[in-house]
Every structure is written in structure tokens, then in C-alpha cells.
Amino acid sequence: MPRPQKHSFPEPRLVTETDDLAETTDRLRSEPFVAVDTEFMRERTYWPELCLVQIAGAEEVVLIDPLAPGLDLAPLATLFDDETTIKVFHAARQDLEIFLYLFGRVPVPIFDTQIAAMVAGYGDQVGYDNLVGALTGASIDKSHRFTDWSVRPLSAAQLTYAAADVTHLRIVYQALVEQLEKEKRTSWVAAEQEALADPSGLTADPLKQWEKLKARTGNRRMLGILKQITAWRETEAQTANVPRQRMLKDESLLEIAATVPRTAEALARVRGVARGFAEGRMGAGLLASVAAACELPESELPRPARGKGHDGPRPPQALVALLKVLLTHQCEKNDVAPKLVASSDDLDAFALLPDPQGPLLTGWRREVFGSEALALYEGKLSLGVEGGRVRLIRTGD
């Protein structure tokens, strides 16, 4: 891995006026890449409230204040739309969600150093602090990690802290690109970046939120009610811009799905539901969702996830266990993070029936793991131990 080095960076500059932002982004568009980070607040809202955008170019570090009176962020959108300049993030998902909400689209093209680090052998979801330390020898100041970024004016210490993330990120990006090119893994990262930038994966689907509550039941009617009322909560929270848990907690939704209240009086008896809520507009909407779910035909009710109450096929657990061992072995051999190669759901699906077009048998994952997993599934490969290490044994070995 690259030898850690220390670097010096230009002083950050705060941008609060549209003309300054336009001139700055025009300059940055001439660069091959820029490092980007954000500071935001989300404790009081459903949608993240953008408080600061940090961008580092080769010769300047700018801190853009979205809360500055009269500032138009359109020039920033123009920079993000420029396909000749790569936008470098670390753990980009939340940043991309912010810009998708703000501009209606995500920056292009992007490079996520967390994904790249997983491909380069730095472990599962490596933290930014650790990655900076490994690649630059610097340490990250954590003193303002939990500051309220919506309060103005921002202090000099806050601005210095915010700028540090993107200045180090430039060096991290360059080191990772050099390593990935040397190891011929650039295409691996490109495939993952493309999937990350898909807007459909950045927004919460109201009709899928019920799955996150992990209801321990095989009662499909209850699951149908849970699906409907969880979708109702998600939509209302988005519209009102209120955190979903502040609107109605998960525990209350699970109790509603189990007890099926049909009146405001019954709804008010649910733990966590205030009488004012139950008797008002929100309560009426929630009860309407319960009633609609009760009328759904059996064919439209969701099926439980694998586990308790699941009536679908279950993967052979012994085979899944062997696949996990093989995954660990192959990822150690190739120095890549297992979580990036295959999830538990991927292994379960593969154990039931390998899909030739599935994620494990296409692209770079087939090279790292999929081909060997298929050989194991087909009985052409077995696992043994030699000298305290896992050994792959081919048929006839």
C-alpha cells in the first residue's frame, strides 16, 4: 500500500455570494477532479438540511454557505453536471441524496473513496479517519463532529474542521487511483460507482419501508396492514418534512398492524399515539390506510421475509455456511472486502439456485468469488484445511 505522506493545503475561503460561486465553479470545471463533502442537519427534518458544501481543487479550497442570504446554488449544479470533472466523495450516499433532493439529479461522474478502499483491501466500510491516517499520515480533528452547522456565523475553527475533510480527500483519491491502476481493479470500482449513482437507490420507496421493521409474524394480513400504514407514514413524513420516527414510532405501527384499530377511540389506545393525533387529520388518514389494507385480496398481501413464518423455500444452511467460508477465503486471497462482494441475501439466493445473470456470476465478482462458488455448488470443488489454512480441493485432486 502507498506510503503515508504529509501535505500542506491552501487556506479555505468562504463563499456567500452567487457571483463568487459562479467564478469559482468555472475555475473548478477545468480540473480533472474535485473533492466534495457536506455538512448537514437532519435531527429535526425528514430531508437533510444542507448547511455547508466543501470543495477542494488543486489550488483552492472553498466552503460554500447554502444558508447565506440570496445565494443561488445554480453554479454548483453546473459544476456537478460537468462530466469532464470527477466529483470525489467518501461514503457518498448521504451527500448524493442531498444533491438529488436539491437539484433533482446527482453529480456526474462520481468516485467514492470508501468503495474504492474496499476494493483496494482496506476492509469493510473503512472509516474516513482510518483511511486518511493510512494514506496521508495525518489525523482528523474530531472536535466539531457533532456541532450544529445551521447556526451562523460559523467560527474559524468550524471552517478549518470542515475544510480538512476535502483537502485530505484529494490525496486519498490520488493514492487509491494509483493503487487500483497498478492492481488492474479500476473497472471493479467503476461498476460500483455506477450503481451508487443510480437515483432509484437513493430515495426511500414508501412501499418497501415495512420490511425494515422486521415483524416477527407469518400473518400475511398483518403484514399487509403494516405495509400500508408504513407507506402512509413515509409519505406523510416526506410531505411534512418531519422525521418518520417523530411522526409515529415503529413500535406503534407494529401494534396497529397487530390490533387493527378501526376507530379514533381504538387508535388512541395504541401506545405512542396521542388522542389529538388519533382524532385529527393524521389519525383519519392512518385509519383509512388500515381499512384499505383490510380489503386487500389475499393475492396482494406480502409474504414474510425468510425466517419466522416464511413459507417459501429456504436455502440449505450447510451450503450457505460453506459459501461464507469460501467467500472469506477468496476475499483474503484477493485482498478485497467481503461485504462488497456478496451480502447474506446474495449467498442465500445463490444457495437456492445460482443465477447466471446474477451479481455473483457477472462482472468482477465472478472473477473473485462467483466461479469458485459455482464449482462448489456443482460438486466440482470442496474445502479442506492444510497447515491451519483453508484449501480448495478440485474434483480429482
Side-chain angles (χ1 to χ4, degrees), residues 40-56:
F40 60 91
M41 301 293 293
R42 201 171 193 167
E43 288 78 3
R44 301 181 294 269
T45 60
Y46 179 95
W47 304 106
E49 178 187 6
L50 182 61
C51 300
L52 199 67
V53 181
Q54 306 97 283
I55 301 182

Side-chain angles (χ1 to χ4, degrees), residues 50 86 94 129 173 188 210 252 268 286 290 297 313 339:
L50 182 61
I86 298 170
Q94 285 192 306
D129 300 357
Y173 166 74
W188 297 13
W210 70 277
S252 298
L286 181 54
V290 171
K339 280 188 178 180

Side-chain angles (χ1 to χ4, degrees), residues 295-322:
E295 298 301 320
L296 288 174
E298 195 77 16
S299 60
E300 295 183 17
L301 296 175
R303 295 188 178 276
R306 290 190 180 94
K308 184 175 181 179
H310 179 64
D311 56 2
R314 293 178 175 82
Q317 291 305 297
L319 177 55
V320 172
L322 287 175

Side-chain angles (χ1 to χ4, degrees), residues 14-19 65-73 152:
L14 186 63
V15 174
T16 59
E17 298 182 358
T18 303
D19 288 345
D65 184 0
L67 303 183
L71 180 66
D72 184 352
L73 292 177
R152 294 295 183 272

Side-chain angles (χ1 to χ4, degrees), residues 115-181:
I115 291 176
M118 293 169 75
V119 171
Y122 288 89
D124 286 332
Q125 296 178 315
V126 58
Y128 184 64
D129 300 357
N130 293 335
L131 192 59
V132 168
L135 294 176
T136 75
S139 59
I140 299 295
D141 175 16
K142 301 179 182 180
S143 58
H144 292 281
R145 178 160 292 182
F146 301 107
T147 194
D148 186 344
W149 291 99
S150 65
V151 174
R152 294 295 183 272
L154 295 169
S155 68
Q158 285 177 302
L159 297 177
T160 299
Y161 167 89
D165 280 349
V166 286
T167 51
H168 294 305
L169 187 56
R170 286 187 58 88
I171 309 306
V172 167
Y173 166 74
Q174 290 171 311
L176 285 172
V177 167
E178 180 181 344
Q179 181 176 340
L180 292 168
E181 288 176 348

Side-chain angles (χ1 to χ4, degrees), residues 67-109:
L67 303 183
L71 180 66
D72 184 352
L73 292 177
L76 180 62
T78 301
L79 170 63
F80 286 166
D81 288 340
D82 192 327
E83 297 188 9
T84 64
T85 302
I86 298 170
K87 291 77 183 179
V88 180
F89 297 85
H90 182 83
R93 183 180 177 82
Q94 285 192 306
D95 297 316
L96 297 181
E97 181 187 354
I98 290 172
F99 294 126
L100 177 62
Y101 175 66
L102 194 63
F103 299 132
R105 55 196 183 277
V106 298
V108 290

Side-chain angles (χ1 to χ4, degrees), residues 58 146 156 176 224 233 349 353 371:
F146 301 107
L176 285 172
R233 180 185 68 172
L353 183 65
S371 60

